[in-house]
Amino acid sequence: MSQVATANAEPIGITNLPNQRYKIVSKEGATFTVMLAGESGLGKTTFINTLFQTLLIPHQDNRNRFSKPIKKTVEISIVRAELEEKNFKLRLNVIDTPGFGDNVNNKNAWQPIVEFIDEQHSSYMKQESQPTRTGAKDLRVHACLYFIRPTGHTLKPLDIEAMKRIGTRANLIPVIAKADTLTPNEMLEFKKRIRAIIEAQNIRIYSPPIETDDQAAAEHAKQLIESMPFAVIGSEEEFEVDGKMVKGRRYPWGFVEVENDQHCDFRKLRSLLLRTNMLDLILSTREIHYETYRGLKMNGEVGSESPSKDSKRKSVDKFVDNPEFIEEEKRLKRYFAEQLRNEDQRFKQWKQNIHTEKNRLNHDLANLQGDMKRLEEEVTSLKQEKGYE
Amino acid sequence: MPNASTLFKRQKDMKRGIRFTMMVCGCSGTGKTSFVNSLLDRNILPHRFQYQNLGSEGSIPKTITYSNLNGAMANAADLGQKFDAELANQEPGIAITETSVEIVDEDDSRLQLTIVDTPGFGDNLDNSLCTKEICNFLEQQFDLVLAEETKVRRNPRFEDTRIHVCLYFIAPSGHGLRELDVDGMKKLSKYVNVVPVIGRADSFTRTELINFKRNINDDIERFKIPVFQFTSDEEEDDPDTVEESRFLQQLQPFALVTSDETATINGVSTRVRRYPWGVVDINDTTVSDFPVLRSVLLGSHLQDLKDITHDYLYENYRTERLSAVADLKGDFPFESGETEPPSMSNLAAIANSKSMQKFGRVGVAADDAASAFSSGTVRHTAVETDDIEAVSARLANTSITEEDGEAGAPKKQVIKSMLLPERPNLETQNSSGSGAPDLLRTRSGSAYSLQDDEELKSMTDTSEKGIEDSAKNQYSPSITSSRASQNQVVDTRRLRKISETVPYMLRHQTLVTKQQKLEDLERKSAIGLAKRAAELEKKAMELKLREKKLRAKMAARQVSDAASTRSAQTLTERSYIEGDDAVVD
Ligand SMILES: Nc1nc2c(ncn2[C@@H]2O[C@H](COP(=O)(O)OP(=O)(O)O)[C@@H](O)[C@H]2O)c(=O)[nH]1
Ligand SMILES: Nc1nc2c(ncn2[C@@H]2O[C@H](COP(=O)(O)OP(=O)(O)O)[C@@H](O)[C@H]2O)c(=O)[nH]1
Ligand SMILES: [Mg+2]
């Protein structure tokens, strides 16, 4: 499933990553995991291919479509890729979730998605607790793009339910899909409503940190925050405009450009994901989600079954309830017990060894003493012989 | 019996122009409202959350029914009026609304267009209810016509509310049909001409649109969805018609671009969608099938759609209802003339049995079909009676359908809940007509709003007296022959059975919460009824005694004069009416 893609056209921008504020990316590059959620047919696959300028995720073709039943289960499909730009390597994991919202009954359709995110946290935890920590497979989701149908009306209850749950587990970035189908006024109103819902329904979304010591960066962050939810357009095609190749969608009534700020927020979202905030997304995933989880777990603060309103608590409850995690916990306990037993054994063995050594030495000593006695006796007997003479 | 529908049609067409009823169905935001506004070239429907911006041309749709699985009071039609972020996570359920418009052409020909919308469709977490509710609604419109057709005296104001076409809006996903689309279109197409359309077709580039249309057509074929077909007879029809049909058929599903914004392009008034990168003209056939569909709906195929609805869809439905239950004949205790209705004093016992439901319904008045017998007790001629017999035989069959199979089950509940609360204020509801509370306002309610008290009374009389008559084994002293009156009893019941399937209201939440109450109420009223029946019987006994006395007197005065006899009979008659009133109120 892994492929190496080299961006040949315009740079994607990941080379900026080492220069991002923290400057602590290792020589091996970085791992970035992005998840795509939202109803089918909103251009999730197209968007990710647009973002990385390569056919990262192939589109399902018609034959494939026919082989699937009409009633669908949400799939989790993982694509791994290594992107290289100016000698900087980015290990990219893209989690697509085809089939979401496709059924008559979509109750709990978010379950596979939410479970996947939780599993990554717990399996990372598992790996970290093992003595050998190298080569840990880390699929913790750093950013989840939630695609919203451009109805111009409101969010569906399904969107709200899914976003609520994802938001407590990963950096949630809401995105209005197919922005080229709403007029500027419709878009304005739609964004306003979505923001109101996010506020009223307590949906936690990712917010870029505002750096007080860097005015330009702060300005940029503010701009990003104001643009939420990002209106995006995706296209795998390029067209020649004034001698330059431009990504966009060509309609009989006009040409929509992906990277035109007048047309959509694609550039802003790309900047957030790949240029200015990738590291923050990675770090905050570790800090907020993983650390919260581990901290609570270690302090034994978890276990309350009550439907707590606290989002962090909720995500932890999930772990406590998860049979897989209970299994994992048992396994760890077994591991420690075994380790303890081994040490004990070794200690006993050592004691035994010392004991035998002591015995051996005592034995040797006794032998030597015996020899000495014998020799002394010999000496006296010889002296006696001499004395008689 | 004359062909009822042709009769309706001719009358309506002459008086009020052509009637046409169109349903739009599909998820929120697929452009249904914009389509209607574009079709009429008048911004008649308000968009979701934009009710306050509705212009002078606009009209707020009337909610006919709504239902919600969650028991919440959320109503898709109300939730849509104003945006409320706090309520955004609530499932809207599904509502059915209607708006009527009259379109007057240049040549003064009129089109009475009714638009039925289905807000909430596809917007719930679980949408299983949506299709079912719409199907119930469509079936109800068929039932109304069925009931009307079988009436002896037809309501001159009857309005045919059958839906002639349903435009099913497919969301522009680019993939294919979803489960809801397949399931929905398949089920709806049993009752209505389903024309699949792609909403917001300007989401697609030319090649994307071609692919999407192909995917949809593949899916329609794969899942065998009986959508509307443009067909012609190569031998019979003229080449132009054949060519047109072929063109329309290959154009399906129609890709619609619609808008509320009017503009003038090249001196022609049209509607547009205005983007920073260009302007889409909804009447430009190279990018939008809207103008084609418009001429199909309001012109070339309007009559076809109506004819297919009546001659094919309705006819199939009718035959199915009548034939599917033919085997069950005799299963229903009150259904045939030979079976005797149970004694009234036995009623309390029956109250708890299953058959009580049926009985209860028979006893409950306020029914349209029964009005056919208004004041007819005495005056029926022999011919009419025969006619009624024929009709009721058909209806008796039909009426059983609801006992049969899954589909009838939920409806039965609804009927129960509808009828019982109505009973106490039967008179008021009836006389107030269209002023009835919203909750109870059904289509039949408005269609028959002017049924008057007199009719109601005589109707009740017929039924109650009938029951008594048979219970007493034809000791009837009334003027009509006992045979005739018994026939009427049976007929009335039969007629009621069918028409009782007609007025129903889909308030599931009310239903759930009130279920218990209603059952109690039903039991109580059954007991009350039994008591009254006993009283009635007692009264009847007294009457019988009086009758005997009178007879004796008459015998004594046999020779003297006939006048006194007549007055005695009138007296008897009146006491009956009093007794019946006691039962009803
Ligand atoms: N109008 C419009 N169509 C798009 C856009 N992005 C993708 N599409 C089209 O939408 C359809 C579904 O896209 P896809 O990426 O497969 O959606 P997914 O199911 O969410 O992965 C395809 O026909 C795309 O060409 C966009 O930004 N605007
Ligand atoms: N892109 C596009 N948008 C449309 C079209 N028709 C309507 N809209 C917009 O889509 C949104 C929803 O339309 P509306 O007619 O209210 O949809 P409804 O909920 O199905 O009734 C509104 O913002 C409309 O302006 C269309 O043909 N193309
Ligand atoms: Mg996809």
Side-chain angles (χ1 to χ4, degrees), chain A residues 62-122:
Chain A
N62 268 329
R63 265 167 289 129
N64 192 4
R65 214 169 61 77
F66 263 73
S67 65
K68 282 184 183 161
I70 192 75
K71 198 183 196 81
K72 298 199 180 77
T73 44
V74 180
E75 294 167 40
I76 303 284
S77 98
I78 306 167
V79 173
R80 292 198 184 86
E82 218 161 77
L83 299 178
E84 208 171 336
E85 195 174 296
K86 292 182 196 150
N87 294 323
F88 176 73
K89 254 196 264 174
L90 176 68
R91 276 190 304 278
L92 181 71
N93 303 311
V94 179
I95 322 286
D96 201 355
T97 57
F100 182 78
D102 268 356
N103 288 344
V104 168
N105 185 352
N106 295 308
K107 269 203 173 119
N108 304 326
W110 54 79
Q111 199 112 338
I113 295 171
V114 158
E115 262 165 26
F116 177 84
I117 301 176
D118 285 349
E119 265 163 36
Q120 301 326 306
H121 279 303
S122 65

Coordinates of all heavy atoms in Angstrom, one line a residue, chain A residues 62-122:
Chain A
N62 N -16.2 1.8 -11.3 CA -17.5 1.3 -11.4 C -17.7 -0.1 -11.1 O -18.7 -0.5 -10.5 CB -18.1 1.6 -12.8 CG -18.8 3.0 -12.7 OD1 -19.3 3.4 -11.7 ND2 -18.8 3.7 -13.9
R63 N -16.8 -0.9 -11.5 CA -16.9 -2.4 -11.3 C -16.9 -2.6 -9.8 O -17.7 -3.4 -9.3 CB -15.8 -3.1 -11.9 CG -16.2 -3.6 -13.3 CD -14.9 -4.1 -14.1 NE -14.1 -3.0 -14.5 CZ -12.8 -2.9 -14.2 NH1 -12.2 -3.8 -13.6 NH2 -12.1 -1.8 -14.6
N64 N -16.1 -1.9 -9.1 CA -16.0 -2.0 -7.6 C -17.3 -1.7 -7.0 O -17.8 -2.3 -6.1 CB -14.9 -1.1 -7.2 CG -14.5 -1.4 -5.7 OD1 -15.1 -2.3 -5.1 ND2 -13.6 -0.6 -5.2
R65 N -17.9 -0.6 -7.5 CA -19.2 -0.1 -7.0 C -20.3 -1.1 -7.1 O -21.1 -1.3 -6.2 CB -19.6 1.1 -7.8 CG -20.3 2.2 -7.1 CD -20.4 3.4 -8.0 NE -21.1 3.2 -9.2 CZ -22.4 3.1 -9.2 NH1 -23.2 3.3 -8.2 NH2 -23.0 2.9 -10.4
F66 N -20.2 -1.9 -8.2 CA -21.3 -2.9 -8.5 C -21.1 -4.1 -7.5 O -22.1 -4.7 -7.2 CB -21.2 -3.3 -9.9 CG -22.2 -2.6 -10.8 CD1 -22.0 -1.3 -11.2 CD2 -23.3 -3.2 -11.2 CE1 -22.9 -0.6 -11.9 CE2 -24.3 -2.6 -12.0 CZ -24.0 -1.3 -12.3
S67 N -19.9 -4.3 -7.1 CA -19.7 -5.5 -6.3 C -20.2 -5.3 -4.9 O -20.3 -6.2 -4.1 CB -18.3 -6.0 -6.4 OG -17.5 -5.0 -5.8
K68 N -20.4 -4.0 -4.5 CA -20.7 -3.7 -3.1 C -22.2 -3.7 -2.9 O -23.0 -3.3 -3.8 CB -20.2 -2.4 -2.8 CG -18.7 -2.5 -2.5 CD -18.1 -1.1 -2.0 CE -16.6 -1.3 -1.8 NZ -16.0 0.0 -1.7
P69 N -22.7 -4.2 -1.8 CA -24.1 -4.1 -1.5 C -24.5 -2.7 -1.3 O -23.7 -1.8 -1.0 CB -24.3 -4.9 -0.2 CG -22.9 -4.8 0.5 CD -21.9 -4.7 -0.6
I70 N -25.8 -2.4 -1.4 CA -26.3 -1.1 -1.3 C -26.3 -0.7 0.2 O -26.1 0.5 0.5 CB -27.7 -0.9 -1.8 CG1 -28.1 0.5 -2.0 CG2 -28.8 -1.7 -1.1 CD1 -27.5 1.3 -3.1
K71 N -26.4 -1.6 1.1 CA -26.3 -1.3 2.5 C -24.8 -1.4 2.8 O -24.2 -2.4 2.7 CB -27.1 -2.3 3.3 CG -27.4 -1.8 4.7 CD -28.2 -2.8 5.5 CE -28.8 -2.2 6.7 NZ -30.1 -1.6 6.4
K72 N -24.3 -0.3 3.3 CA -22.8 -0.3 3.5 C -22.4 -0.2 4.9 O -23.1 0.4 5.8 CB -22.2 0.9 2.7 CG -22.5 0.8 1.2 CD -21.5 1.7 0.5 CE -21.8 1.6 -1.0 NZ -23.0 2.4 -1.5
T73 N -21.2 -0.7 5.2 CA -20.6 -0.5 6.5 C -19.5 0.5 6.3 O -18.9 0.5 5.2 CB -20.1 -1.7 7.1 OG1 -19.3 -2.4 6.1 CG2 -21.2 -2.6 7.7
V74 N -19.3 1.4 7.2 CA -18.2 2.3 7.1 C -16.9 1.6 7.1 O -16.6 0.9 8.0 CB -18.2 3.4 8.2 CG1 -17.1 4.4 8.0 CG2 -19.6 4.1 8.2
E75 N -16.1 1.9 6.0 CA -14.8 1.2 6.0 C -13.7 2.2 6.5 O -13.9 3.4 6.4 CB -14.4 0.9 4.5 CG -15.3 -0.2 3.9 CD -15.1 -0.2 2.4 OE1 -13.9 -0.1 1.9 OE2 -16.1 -0.3 1.7
I76 N -12.6 1.6 6.9 CA -11.5 2.4 7.3 C -10.4 2.0 6.3 O -9.9 0.9 6.3 CB -11.0 2.1 8.7 CG1 -12.2 2.4 9.7 CG2 -9.8 3.0 9.1 CD1 -12.5 3.8 10.0
S77 N -10.0 2.9 5.4 CA -9.0 2.5 4.5 C -7.7 3.4 4.7 O -7.8 4.6 4.8 CB -9.5 2.6 3.1 OG -9.1 3.8 2.5
I78 N -6.6 2.7 4.9 CA -5.4 3.4 5.2 C -4.4 3.4 4.0 O -4.2 2.4 3.4 CB -4.7 2.7 6.4 CG1 -5.7 2.6 7.6 CG2 -3.4 3.5 6.8 CD1 -5.2 1.7 8.7
V79 N -4.0 4.6 3.7 CA -3.0 4.7 2.6 C -1.7 5.3 3.2 O -1.8 6.3 3.9 CB -3.5 5.6 1.5 CG1 -2.4 5.8 0.5 CG2 -4.7 4.9 0.8
R80 N -0.6 4.6 3.0 CA 0.7 5.2 3.6 C 1.5 5.6 2.4 O 1.5 5.0 1.3 CB 1.4 4.1 4.3 CG 0.8 3.7 5.6 CD 1.8 3.0 6.5 NE 1.0 2.5 7.7 CZ 0.4 1.3 7.7 NH1 0.4 0.5 6.6 NH2 -0.3 0.9 8.7
A81 N 2.1 6.7 2.6 CA 3.0 7.2 1.5 C 4.2 8.0 2.1 O 4.1 8.5 3.2 CB 2.2 8.2 0.6
E82 N 5.2 8.0 1.4 CA 6.4 8.8 1.8 C 6.6 9.9 0.8 O 6.8 9.6 -0.4 CB 7.6 7.9 1.9 CG 8.5 8.1 3.0 CD 9.4 6.9 3.3 OE1 10.4 6.8 2.5 OE2 9.1 6.2 4.2
L83 N 6.5 11.1 1.3 CA 6.6 12.2 0.4 C 8.0 12.8 0.6 O 8.5 12.9 1.8 CB 5.6 13.3 0.6 CG 4.1 12.8 0.4 CD1 3.2 13.9 0.8 CD2 3.9 12.3 -1.0
E84 N 8.7 13.2 -0.4 CA 10.0 13.7 -0.3 C 10.1 15.0 -1.0 O 9.6 15.2 -2.1 CB 11.0 12.7 -0.8 CG 12.4 12.9 -0.1 CD 13.3 11.8 -0.5 OE1 12.9 10.7 -0.9 OE2 14.5 12.0 -0.4
E85 N 10.6 16.0 -0.3 CA 10.7 17.3 -1.0 C 12.0 18.0 -0.4 O 12.2 18.1 0.8 CB 9.5 18.2 -0.6 CG 9.3 19.4 -1.5 CD 8.0 20.1 -1.2 OE1 7.0 19.5 -1.4 OE2 8.0 21.2 -0.7
K86 N 12.9 18.3 -1.3 CA 14.2 18.9 -1.0 C 14.8 18.2 0.2 O 15.1 18.8 1.3 CB 13.9 20.4 -0.6 CG 13.6 21.3 -1.8 CD 13.4 22.7 -1.3 CE 12.7 23.5 -2.4 NZ 11.9 24.6 -1.8
N87 N 14.9 16.9 0.0 CA 15.6 16.0 1.0 C 14.9 15.9 2.4 O 15.4 15.4 3.3 CB 17.0 16.5 1.3 CG 17.8 16.3 0.0 OD1 17.6 15.3 -0.7 ND2 18.7 17.2 -0.3
F88 N 13.7 16.5 2.4 CA 13.0 16.3 3.7 C 11.9 15.2 3.4 O 11.1 15.3 2.5 CB 12.3 17.6 4.1 CG 11.5 17.4 5.3 CD1 12.1 17.2 6.6 CD2 10.1 17.4 5.3 CE1 11.3 17.0 7.7 CE2 9.3 17.2 6.4 CZ 10.0 17.0 7.6
K89 N 11.8 14.3 4.4 CA 10.9 13.2 4.2 C 9.7 13.4 5.1 O 9.8 13.7 6.3 CB 11.6 11.9 4.5 CG 11.9 11.1 3.3 CD 12.3 9.7 3.6 CE 13.8 9.5 3.7 NZ 14.2 8.1 4.2
L90 N 8.5 13.1 4.5 CA 7.3 13.1 5.3 C 6.7 11.7 5.2 O 6.3 11.3 4.0 CB 6.4 14.2 4.9 CG 5.0 14.2 5.6 CD1 5.2 14.6 7.1 CD2 4.0 15.2 4.9
R91 N 6.5 11.0 6.3 CA 5.8 9.8 6.2 C 4.3 10.1 6.4 O 3.9 10.6 7.5 CB 6.2 8.8 7.3 CG 7.4 8.0 6.9 CD 7.7 6.9 7.9 NE 7.9 7.4 9.2 CZ 9.0 7.9 9.7 NH1 10.1 8.0 8.9 NH2 9.1 8.4 10.9
L92 N 3.5 9.9 5.4 CA 2.1 10.3 5.5 C 1.2 9.1 5.6 O 1.3 8.2 4.9 CB 1.8 11.1 4.2 CG 0.4 11.7 4.1 CD1 0.3 12.8 5.0 CD2 0.2 12.2 2.6
N93 N 0.3 9.2 6.5 CA -0.8 8.2 6.6 C -2.1 8.9 6.3 O -2.4 9.9 7.0 CB -0.9 7.6 8.0 CG 0.5 7.0 8.4 OD1 1.1 6.2 7.6 ND2 0.9 7.3 9.6
V94 N -2.9 8.4 5.4 CA -4.2 9.0 5.1 C -5.3 7.9 5.4 O -5.2 6.8 4.9 CB -4.3 9.5 3.7 CG1 -5.7 10.0 3.5 CG2 -3.3 10.5 3.4
I95 N -6.2 8.3 6.3 CA -7.2 7.4 6.7 C -8.5 7.9 6.0 O -9.0 8.9 6.4 CB -7.5 7.4 8.2 CG1 -6.2 7.5 9.0 CG2 -8.3 6.2 8.7 CD1 -5.3 6.3 9.0
D96 N -9.0 7.1 5.1 CA -10.3 7.5 4.4 C -11.4 6.6 5.0 O -11.1 5.6 5.5 CB -10.1 7.2 2.9 CG -11.2 8.0 2.1 OD1 -12.0 8.7 2.7 OD2 -11.1 8.0 0.8
T97 N -12.6 7.2 5.0 CA -13.7 6.5 5.6 C -14.9 6.3 4.7 O -15.9 6.9 4.9 CB -14.2 7.2 6.9 OG1 -14.5 8.6 6.5 CG2 -13.1 7.3 8.0
P98 N -14.7 5.6 3.6 CA -15.8 5.5 2.6 C -17.0 4.8 3.2 O -16.9 4.0 4.0 CB -15.2 4.7 1.5 CG -14.0 4.0 2.0 CD -13.5 4.9 3.1
G99 N -18.2 5.3 2.7 CA -19.4 4.6 3.1 C -20.2 5.3 4.2 O -21.3 5.0 4.6
F100 N -19.5 6.4 4.8 CA -20.2 7.1 5.9 C -21.4 7.8 5.4 O -21.4 8.6 4.5 CB -19.2 8.0 6.6 CG -19.8 8.8 7.8 CD1 -19.9 8.1 9.0 CD2 -20.2 10.1 7.7 CE1 -20.4 8.8 10.1 CE2 -20.7 10.7 8.7 CZ -20.8 10.1 10.0
G101 N -22.6 7.5 6.1 CA -23.8 8.3 5.8 C -24.5 7.8 4.6 O -25.4 8.4 4.1
D102 N -24.1 6.6 4.1 CA -24.7 6.1 2.9 C -26.0 5.3 3.1 O -26.7 5.0 2.1 CB -23.7 5.1 2.2 CG -22.9 5.9 1.2 OD1 -23.2 7.1 0.9 OD2 -22.0 5.3 0.6
N103 N -26.3 5.0 4.3 CA -27.4 4.1 4.6 C -28.7 4.8 4.9 O -28.7 6.0 5.2 CB -27.1 3.1 5.7 CG -26.1 2.1 5.2 OD1 -25.9 1.9 4.0 ND2 -25.5 1.4 6.2
V104 N -29.8 4.0 4.9 CA -31.1 4.6 5.4 C -31.0 4.9 6.9 O -31.3 6.0 7.4 CB -32.2 3.6 5.2 CG1 -33.5 4.0 5.9 CG2 -32.5 3.5 3.7
N105 N -30.4 4.0 7.6 CA -30.2 4.1 9.0 C -28.7 4.3 9.3 O -27.9 3.4 9.2 CB -30.7 2.9 9.8 CG -30.6 3.1 11.3 OD1 -30.1 4.1 11.8 ND2 -31.2 2.2 12.0
N106 N -28.4 5.5 9.7 CA -27.0 5.9 10.0 C -26.7 6.0 11.5 O -25.7 6.7 11.9 CB -26.6 7.1 9.2 CG -26.6 6.9 7.7 OD1 -26.1 6.0 7.2 ND2 -27.4 7.8 7.1
K107 N -27.5 5.4 12.3 CA -27.3 5.5 13.7 C -25.9 4.8 14.0 O -25.7 3.7 13.5 CB -28.4 4.8 14.5 CG -29.5 5.8 14.9 CD -30.3 5.3 16.0 CE -31.2 6.5 16.4 NZ -32.7 6.1 16.3
N108 N -25.1 5.4 14.8 CA -23.8 4.9 15.1 C -22.8 4.7 14.0 O -21.9 3.9 14.0 CB -24.0 3.5 15.9 CG -24.8 3.7 17.1 OD1 -24.8 4.7 17.7 ND2 -25.6 2.7 17.4
A109 N -23.1 5.3 12.9 CA -22.2 5.2 11.7 C -20.8 5.7 12.1 O -19.8 5.4 11.4 CB -22.8 6.0 10.5
W110 N -20.7 6.6 13.1 CA -19.4 7.1 13.5 C -18.6 6.1 14.3 O -17.4 6.3 14.5 CB -19.6 8.4 14.3 CG -20.5 8.1 15.5 CD1 -20.2 7.6 16.7 CD2 -21.9 8.4 15.6 NE1 -21.3 7.5 17.5 CE2 -22.3 8.0 16.8 CE3 -22.8 9.0 14.7 CZ2 -23.7 8.1 17.2 CZ3 -24.1 9.1 15.1 CH2 -24.5 8.7 16.3
Q111 N -19.2 5.1 14.7 CA -18.5 4.1 15.6 C -17.2 3.6 15.1 O -16.2 3.7 15.8 CB -19.4 3.0 15.9 CG -19.0 2.2 17.2 CD -20.0 2.4 18.3 OE1 -20.8 3.3 18.3 NE2 -20.1 1.4 19.2
P112 N -17.1 3.1 13.8 CA -15.9 2.6 13.3 C -14.8 3.7 13.3 O -13.6 3.4 13.6 CB -16.2 2.2 11.9 CG -17.7 2.0 11.9 CD -18.2 2.9 12.9
I113 N -15.2 4.9 13.1 CA -14.2 6.0 13.0 C -13.7 6.3 14.4 O -12.4 6.4 14.6 CB -14.9 7.3 12.4 CG1 -15.4 7.0 11.0 CG2 -14.0 8.5 12.5 CD1 -16.3 8.1 10.4
V114 N -14.6 6.4 15.3 CA -14.2 6.8 16.7 C -13.3 5.6 17.3 O -12.3 5.8 17.9 CB -15.4 7.0 17.5 CG1 -15.2 6.9 19.0 CG2 -15.9 8.4 17.2
E115 N -13.7 4.4 17.0 CA -13.0 3.3 17.5 C -11.6 3.2 16.9 O -10.6 2.9 17.6 CB -13.7 2.0 17.2 CG -14.5 1.5 18.3 CD -15.6 0.4 17.9 OE1 -15.3 -0.3 16.9 OE2 -16.6 0.3 18.6
F116 N -11.5 3.6 15.7 CA -10.2 3.6 15.1 C -9.2 4.5 15.8 O -8.1 4.2 16.1 CB -10.3 3.9 13.6 CG -8.9 4.0 12.9 CD1 -8.3 2.9 12.4 CD2 -8.3 5.2 12.8 CE1 -7.1 2.9 11.8 CE2 -7.0 5.3 12.2 CZ -6.4 4.1 11.7
I117 N -9.7 5.7 16.0 CA -8.9 6.7 16.7 C -8.5 6.2 18.1 O -7.3 6.3 18.4 CB -9.7 8.1 16.8 CG1 -10.0 8.6 15.4 CG2 -8.8 9.1 17.5 CD1 -10.9 9.9 15.4
D118 N -9.4 5.7 18.8 CA -9.1 5.2 20.1 C -8.1 4.1 20.1 O -7.2 4.0 20.9 CB -10.4 4.7 20.8 CG -11.3 5.8 21.3 OD1 -10.8 7.0 21.3 OD2 -12.4 5.6 21.7
E119 N -8.3 3.2 19.1 CA -7.3 2.1 19.0 C -5.9 2.5 18.8 O -5.0 1.9 19.3 CB -7.7 1.2 17.9 CG -8.6 0.0 18.3 CD -9.3 -0.6 17.1 OE1 -8.7 -0.7 16.0 OE2 -10.5 -1.0 17.3
Q120 N -5.7 3.6 18.0 CA -4.4 4.1 17.8 C -3.7 4.6 19.1 O -2.6 4.4 19.3 CB -4.4 5.2 16.7 CG -5.0 4.7 15.4 CD -4.7 3.3 15.0 OE1 -3.5 2.8 15.0 NE2 -5.7 2.5 14.8
H121 N -4.5 5.2 19.9 CA -4.0 5.7 21.1 C -3.5 4.5 22.0 O -2.5 4.5 22.5 CB -5.0 6.5 21.9 CG -5.2 7.9 21.4 ND1 -4.1 8.8 21.4 CD2 -6.2 8.6 21.0 CE1 -4.5 10.0 21.0 NE2 -5.8 9.9 20.7
S122 N -4.4 3.5 22.1 CA -4.1 2.4 23.0 C -3.0 1.6 22.4 O -2.1 1.1 23.2 CB -5.3 1.6 23.3 OG -5.8 1.0 22.2

